[in-house]
């Protein structure tokens, strides 16, 4: 549902910058930016180009976060989301819109500076996919597609910005996509009930909590296998050890109770990032 600058009551908060970051889903946005930066540093990019590319990815991710909270404002109010600054009034709609526009312009400029090929992939298949998710795809069977697109093409955002522009290897694209969809499933699990009450019914909601957790483990484990076994040459010993740890964490995710399964699955996702960056 659309929102306007006067749609939410505002009150002054002690940390407006933190409110902006919270509304932008700053943690996930920063995580994606860090992954992009690490991949860029592992590539043939010059340090300045790597920094610009990281900024392009990070600012794009921030626009997705602000767009998500603006789009969901009515839903979040309906379920009383006290963790949302736009709902509590710690952040005004007007400031969120200004931040989104500023970050969007920065994303376009920074993306262009690293080359048109990389820019098109980042803006259309990465940031654009995130906004398509916000605008309605999140409530369909296809809610996983933007995550597969954004994470799967992230390595190519880096390789297409290099001195010899090329798409990333298929195995890296597949590992990134598997990681992205697994992250989507994990990220949605804590909010399944609230989402369903407000009409959001994506893939995790349709298949249920237990199948979503199992599918997340399968996808995250597949990403681990691709990152270790697909690159040329024998994997180093530490990567084999990481695979053993992935197996242990996968078992915990499937059989443990309470908060352990979520944390174990999250640990697999973090290991996937390490393995993917090392392979890159």
């Amino acid at each position: 549902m659309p929102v306007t600058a006067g749609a939410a009551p505002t009150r002054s908060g002690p940390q407006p910058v933190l409110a902006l970051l919270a509304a932008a889903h700053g943690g996930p946005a920063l995580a994606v930016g860090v992954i992009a930066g690490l991949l860029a540093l592992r590539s043939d990019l010059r340090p300045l180009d790597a920094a610009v590319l990281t900024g392009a990815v990070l600012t794009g991710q921030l626009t997705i976060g602000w767009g998500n909270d603006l789009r969901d404002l009515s839903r979040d109010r309906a379920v009383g989301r006290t963790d949302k600054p736009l709902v509590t009034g710690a952040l005004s709609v007007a400031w969120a819109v200004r931040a989104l526009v500023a970050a969007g312009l920065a994303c376009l400029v920074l993306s262009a500076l690293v080359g048109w090929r990389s820019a098109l992939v980042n803006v259309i298949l990465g940031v654009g996919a995130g906004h398509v998710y916000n605008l309605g795809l999140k409530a369909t069977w296809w809610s996983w597609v933007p995550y597969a697109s954004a994470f799967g093409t992230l390595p190519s955002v880096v390789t297409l910005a290099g001195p010899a522009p090329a798409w990333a290897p298929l195995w890296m694209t597949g590992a990134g996509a598997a990681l992205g969809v697994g992250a989507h499933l994990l990220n949605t699990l804590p909010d399944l009930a609230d989402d369903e009450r407000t009409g959001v019914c994506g893939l995790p909601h349709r298949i249920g909590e237990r199948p979503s957790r199992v599918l997340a483990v399968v996808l995250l484990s597949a990403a681990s296998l691709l990152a270790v076994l697909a690159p040329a040459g024998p994997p180093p010993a530490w990567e084999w050890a990481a695979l053993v740890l992935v197996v242990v964490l996968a078992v915990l995710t499937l059989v443990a109770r309470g908060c352990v399964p979520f944390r174990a699955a999250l640990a697999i996702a973090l290991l996937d990032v390490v393995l993917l960056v090392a392979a890159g």
Side-chain angles (χ1 to χ4, degrees), residues 48 145 159 165 169 176 202 210 232 264:
L48 179 58
V145 173
T159 58
R210 174 69 179 180

Side-chain angles (χ1 to χ4, degrees), residues 60-101:
Q61 291 299 310
L62 290 174
T63 70
I64 296 171
W66 284 313
N68 180 275
D69 272 21
L70 287 167
R71 184 72 174 84
D72 288 349
L73 180 54
S74 297
R75 297 189 184 102
D76 290 339
R77 283 176 175 166
V79 297
R81 291 291 297 270
T82 57
D83 59 325
K84 298 281 189 173
L86 286 172
V87 175
T88 63
L91 177 68
S92 71
V93 170
W95 271 108
V97 171
R98 292 187 189 107
L100 189 156
V101 171

